[in-house]
Amino acid sequence: MPAEFLQMGSFPKAWSRRGAQASSALTLTAMSLGYGVVQLDVTIVNTALDAMGKSLGGGVAELQWVVSAYTIAFAAFILTAGALGDRIGAKRIFMAGFAIFTAASLACALSPNAVVLICARLVQGLAAAILVPNSLALLNHAYADDRARGRAVAVWAAGASLALTAGPFVGGALITLVGWRAIFLVNLPIGLAGLWLSWRYATDTTQARSREIDLPGQLTAIGALGSLAGAIIEAGALGWAHPAVIAAFVGSAVLAALFVWRESRTTQPMLPLSLFGHRLFTLTTIVGLLVNIAIYGLIFVLSLYFQRINGLSAWWTGLAFVPMMGAVLPVNLLAPRIAERIGPCLTIVVGASSSALGCLGMVWIEAGTSYWAIFAQMIAISGGLGLLVPPLTSTLLGSVEKARSGIAAGVLNATRQTGSVLGVALFGSLLASDGAFMSGLHQSLVISAAVLLIAAAVIGLGARAPARAM
């Protein structure tokens, strides 16, 4: 009889265990939706650039702002958003971010002109910055076991890679069937589902009221990055010697200096400068910046090339990017094994060099060049990116104390998004500077190759010296 009672008592425990597992799985679903929708909007918008320009009457500069407004806010706010989640609770902040992202997506879809669209994209970027760090915090809270947490993070990251791959295809299909506004409306059901799952199943993190928000640092960071991007974007239309462009460059430099001064003085900085006392942390951060300048700047340029120069529809442009984006995920999965064999730094060198060779292999491209003539080069560019990102991330995280891994990951994300902003701004300005699109494209490819080779040299040569921890 005692055995029967024990057996009967095991049912509630088993049921409770299954309930907890289901709750964790549905929390993972909500977090994956949050990160996935952020990544989806990174690539889906590129297929709509030509349609947006024709509909709203914007030139290359306006299209640059449509892309850059999102990434500027994403890069500038991501560190503060993580601190805000620590202070108030990650669940509340994550749900607020999802709600803002969904509302901003609706505003994008209803935008009557380019100015409203750019402002709505800025708000979207702010929401994206909120979603990414807090989704990781909630996953960390939902999975106490290290092994289970590792698997959950892998699913979270794989969902984002899938969204990146699907973005061009989904965008092209929606634009062809419905129109460019539909690429933002698709976020509405995702946002509503993510909000409900988060509210119903996610458990909040412990509030750390002692965590301060570095508001002066945040404001100077936004000003410095926004001024720099604005100067580069407008230089394409106004000229590099225009007084407004020069003033923006000077303003960006002053604000950047103020940001560094502020971060060196405050007790709880938004960006702890002491992290850069770790050699590998500094090297991998620089590589992340340089790689994104090249890759995401080229994606912007190639999107316009396919549509404006070769006359491809949004549908075919989306299809053209699917193999390029799709190559990233399988190479991501192979990268750790390659890094185990030849070392993470050498793997990063090989990845960056592969992408550089892909860029150089496209320098001869002209109007009307067959897609299949540049197919292998596009795969080399994206495959190199897929190869270097996992060891880049793991090397950066391994270069600092575990207690600071969260802020280190945030710095890498912010730096890479900053690179994306600068790449789109620079390459877009080259397209607009003299009206010669193909000349600007050729310059963009050469600059990308040079930047990627510099990145390979930075990590290859710099990592030879022993890492130093403060």
Side-chain angles (χ1 to χ4, degrees):
M1 183 68 71
E4 291 177 7
F5 278 117
L6 282 172
Q7 197 171 21
M8 289 175 64
S10 69
F11 282 108
K13 292 179 182 178
W15 182 264
S16 176
R17 224 174 12 251
R18 289 175 185 172
Q21 290 172 349
S23 181
S24 296
L26 291 168
T27 298
L28 172 58
T29 302
M31 301 307 108
S32 297
L33 288 174
Y35 190 30
V37 79
V38 167
Q39 296 297 85
L40 181 68
D41 266 47
V42 170
T43 54
I44 198 171
V45 169
N46 283 295
T47 57
L49 290 173
D50 190 53
M52 288 177 184
K54 291 176 179 177
S55 173
L56 302 177
V60 173
E62 285 77 14
L63 296 179
Q64 285 173 275
W65 278 116
V66 169
V67 175
S68 295
Y70 181 85
T71 44
I72 286 171
F74 195 173
F77 281 103
I78 192 167
L79 294 176
T80 294
L84 200 59
D86 290 343
R87 181 177 174 84
I88 300 175
K91 179 176 178 177
R92 296 181 187 180
I93 299 301
F94 179 83
M95 290 184 65
F98 232 146
I100 294 169
F101 194 97
T102 306
S105 297
L106 180 59
C108 288
L110 300 177
S111 297
N113 54 54
V115 174
V116 174
L117 178 59
I118 291 167
C119 291
R121 287 283 289 166
L122 190 71
V123 177
Q124 259 195 328
L126 166 63
I130 293 172
L131 287 171
V132 174
N134 289 291
S135 64
L136 271 176
L138 288 170
L139 276 186
N140 189 50
H141 190 67
Y143 291 88
D145 178 68
D146 288 345
R147 187 175 181 184
R149 188 190 305 115
R151 292 177 178 177
V153 171
V155 171
W156 176 83
S161 295
L162 182 62
L164 274 174
T165 304
F169 175 77
V170 172
L174 289 172
I175 295 161
T176 302
L177 297 174
V178 183
W180 67 265
R181 298 178 189 275
I183 67 170
F184 296 111
L185 293 175
V186 75
N187 294 336
L188 271 60
I190 298 174
L192 293 173
L195 276 169
W196 185 82
L197 287 170
S198 303
W199 170 76
R200 179 68 178 81
Y201 295 104
T203 55
D204 211 347
T205 56
T206 303
Q207 298 178 16
R209 293 292 183 182
S210 60
R211 183 70 183 271
E212 296 179 2
I213 304 301
D214 183 14
L215 186 58
Q218 178 66 85
L219 293 175
T220 51
I222 296 168
L225 182 56
S227 297
L228 180 58
I232 298 173
I233 290 172
E234 297 304 325
L238 301 176
W240 294 90
H242 192 280
V245 173
I246 294 173
F249 275 122
V250 172
S252 176
V254 171
L255 288 168
L258 286 174
F259 174 74
V260 173
W261 178 83
R262 164 69 187 181
E263 298 308 282
S264 66
R265 295 292 190 275
T266 185
T267 55
Q268 293 195 31
M270 171 180 145
L271 175 60
L273 299 180
S274 60
L275 287 172
F276 293 96
H278 302 259
R279 178 180 293 275
L280 282 178
F281 178 88
T282 303
L283 294 175
T284 49
T285 300
I286 293 171
V287 170
L289 174 75
L290 295 175
V291 165
N292 272 39
I293 287 174
I295 302 297
Y296 287 92
L298 277 183
I299 290 173
F300 175 83
V301 171
L302 288 173
S303 297
L304 292 177
Y305 168 75
F306 286 137
Q307 296 179 72
R308 293 196 170 182
I309 304 301
N310 281 5
L312 295 185
S313 66
W315 165 256
W316 285 108
T317 299
L319 287 178
F321 277 108
V322 168
M324 185 180 184
M325 295 295 106
V328 174
L329 179 58
V331 181
N332 273 165
L333 298 176
L334 286 173
R337 295 186 179 183
I338 296 173
E340 288 174 6
R341 286 179 175 270
I342 66 175
C345 291
L346 184 55
T347 304
I348 296 169
V349 170
V350 172
S353 301
S354 171
S355 294
L357 290 174
C359 295
L360 291 174
M362 291 175 66
V363 168
W364 56 268
I365 191 172
E366 295 294 342
T369 296
S370 166
Y371 171 72
W372 297 110
I374 60 173
F375 178 82
Q377 295 92 316
M378 292 175 66
I379 296 298
I381 292 170
S382 62
L385 176 68
L387 182 62
L388 70 85
V389 168
L392 181 77
T393 306
S394 62
T395 300
L396 178 137
L397 293 177
S399 69
V400 300
E401 302 85 354
K402 285 191 175 181
R404 310 185 82 184
S405 59
I407 189 67
V411 171
L412 179 61
N413 273 298
T415 306
R416 291 189 64 196
Q417 291 302 320
T418 299
S420 302
V421 172
L422 298 179
V424 171
L426 176 59
F427 295 171
S429 70
L430 294 175
L431 301 183
S433 59
D434 57 5
F437 188 101
M438 293 309 301
S439 173
L441 174 55
H442 293 153
Q443 292 176 59
S444 299
L445 287 164
V446 171
I447 292 171
S448 291
V451 166
L452 287 163
L453 290 174
I454 291 170
V458 164
I459 193 71
L461 299 176
R464 290 184 180 181
R468 177 172 62 91
M470 294 292 286

